[in-house]
Every structure is written in C-alpha cells, then in structure tokens.
C-alpha cells in the first residue's frame, strides 16, 4: 500500500521517486506516524460503530499525511526548501 502511495505521488508531482521516498520517510519519522498508527490500531472496538470510527480515523490520518507529503514534495520541486 505504501509503495502505491509513493508511486502515485511521484507520478502526480513529476518528482523523482527517491525524493518522494525521502520526504515520506522523514516526515513519518518526525511525526512518529508508525507509533501513532499502532496506537490507533490497538484501540479496542467492541461495537461495529467503534470499529467504523477507528477505520475512519485511520483513513483521515492517511489522507492528511498524503497531503502533507504532496505539499513538501512540491516545495522541494520548486526549490523553496529542502526537507
């Protein structure tokens, strides 16, 4: 799944795959995304509504992270600031 996100962003932005991977990895480290997603995934869901809420939260988190990566990749492409 991650590889498709990276590939899609590389194609969409025209950025080299190495740039996208670098931004994705560094941002994930700074935000401690892996730890955070593990915490959310570990939340117990005893009802289907709790399960839906957890899945919705994970989807929103993934979309926000993807948007942040896209913004940072765009900045590196126009030379504003290397991440």
């Amino acid at each position: 799944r991650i590889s498709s996100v990276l590939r899609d962003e590389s194609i969409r932005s025209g950025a080299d795959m190495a740039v996208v991977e670098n931004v994705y990895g560094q941002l994930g480290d700074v935000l401690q995304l892996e730890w955070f997603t593990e915490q959310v995934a570990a939340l117990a869901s005893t009802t289907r509504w709790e399960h839906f809420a957890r899945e919705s939260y994970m989807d929103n988190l993934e979309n926000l992270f993807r948007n942040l990566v896209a913004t940072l990749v765009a900045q590196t492409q126009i030379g504003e600031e290397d991440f």
Side-chain angles (χ1 to χ4, degrees):
R1 185 173 179 162
I2 290 174
S3 63
S4 67
V5 169
L6 297 176
R7 183 189 71 243
D8 291 349
E9 181 53 33
S10 178
I11 292 168
R12 189 198 65 72
S13 68
D16 185 65
M17 184 70 148
V19 170
V20 176
E21 288 174 342
N22 184 43
V23 170
Y24 188 94
Q26 287 189 39
L27 184 59
D29 289 346
V30 167
L31 297 178
Q32 298 182 355
L33 188 64
E34 187 174 334
W35 174 85
F36 193 73
T37 55
E38 288 172 359
Q39 301 307 303
V40 173
L43 292 171
S45 57
T46 56
T47 69
R48 71 181 180 146
W49 296 112
E50 289 174 345
H51 175 75
F52 290 148
R54 184 180 64 198
E55 292 304 312
S56 176
Y57 191 72
M58 292 297 286
D59 289 343
N60 288 337
L61 180 61
E62 182 179 313
N63 287 331
L64 289 170
F65 186 70
R66 189 178 298 194
N67 289 336
L68 284 171
V69 168
T71 299
L72 291 172
V73 167
Q75 286 182 349
T76 63
Q77 291 299 101
I78 59 174
E80 286 184 13
E81 180 177 283
D82 289 336
F83 182 68

